Amino acid sequence: MHHDTPASATLGADIRAVRKSRGLTLSQLAARLDRSIGWLSQVERNLSHPSITDLRHIAAALDTTVSLLFGQAPAPAHEVGYIVRNHARRPIGSSETGLIEELLSPDLTDDFEVVHSTFLPHSRIGEVVTRQAQELGYLVSGRLDLVISGRRFTIHPGDSFRIRNEPFEWINPYDAPAIAIWVIAPPIY
């Protein structure tokens, strides 16, 4: 019996991908964690399995969440890395009130990530955000107001939009949730 769950099989690669997206070297992250470079290298290569406490420290040091690093539902072995089932999406932790985000990508090792975002009715981001990324979004349902570089747009189902390293904010002043699919490169979560 293979003791690895499929979810843990991508854990090391995901930690490495997030570390690199943050511009951190192995030694910098190891120093933040007060652990050896060798230990962290083994975790990233899935040769060593971090405890839940280690995962909390790693997530905090990378400014991400444990659920993103380890929130996958177990998948059949032949689907891992290929298929993400509807019920098995990984939640992406967010402090934003009114925004529920789930990773549609199987893991974080691509040059981009695909995110399913639900903006709850009568919610808005609390600040203007600028991310070092190219983003393309497609609105599946609902309506969403976007302010990109000071320009305000109302997005309807079937509309798509692009944000490139620009300040933006979102507002859903409407009575229905807005659901969007976002492609973000490079991965930021």
Side-chain angles (χ1 to χ4, degrees), residues 76-99:
H78 71 284
E79 291 187 357
V80 172
Y82 296 100
I83 308 297
V84 179
R85 297 291 178 187
N86 186 10
H87 66 275
R89 293 184 200 142
R90 276 197 271 183
I92 299 172
S94 175
S95 55
E96 258 88 82
T97 315
L99 174 59

Side-chain angles (χ1 to χ4, degrees), residues 174-186:
Y174 309 105
D175 292 331
I179 297 176
I181 306 298
W182 294 65
V183 178
I184 304 170

Side-chain angles (χ1 to χ4, degrees), residues 52-66:
I52 189 65
T53 302
D54 291 329
L55 275 180
R56 281 196 201 102
H57 292 158
I58 290 167
L62 293 173
D63 190 29
T64 189
T65 61
V66 173

